[in-house]
Amino acid sequence: MTEMAGKLQIKCMAEGVETKIDWEQLKSMKCDIGQGYFIAKPMSLDDFLIFCNLVSEEN
């Protein structure tokens, strides 16, 4: 799927990224975006907005 997404020039997102090993493997397969406990634990809306600002500042 990641190869197809790349050929179509669209972002590829994986859900359920639970460990660093999961994320490293997905990145090696050219996955663009990850969602899951490893990326960010469940949080309130206020914490989510703070998280988004921090991530935005890093990029």
Side-chain angles (χ1 to χ4, degrees), residues 14-28 31 33-41:
E15 294 183 356
V17 181
E18 302 297 322
T19 66
K20 183 175 182 176
I21 293 170
D22 292 341
W23 183 232
E24 294 297 328
Q25 184 174 17
L26 288 162
K27 286 193 320 185
S28 75
C31 183
I33 304 167
Q35 179 274 326
Y37 199 77
F38 176 72
I39 306 297
K41 295 163 183 57

Side-chain angles (χ1 to χ4, degrees), residues 27-56:
K27 286 193 320 185
S28 75
M29 296 179 345
K30 309 227 188 237
C31 183
D32 301 299
I33 304 167
Q35 179 274 326
Y37 199 77
F38 176 72
I39 306 297
K41 295 163 183 57
M43 62 187 84
S44 68
L45 175 59
D46 290 337
D47 289 340
F48 176 69
L49 296 174
I50 292 168
F51 174 79
C52 290
N53 287 328
L54 291 172
V55 170
S56 178

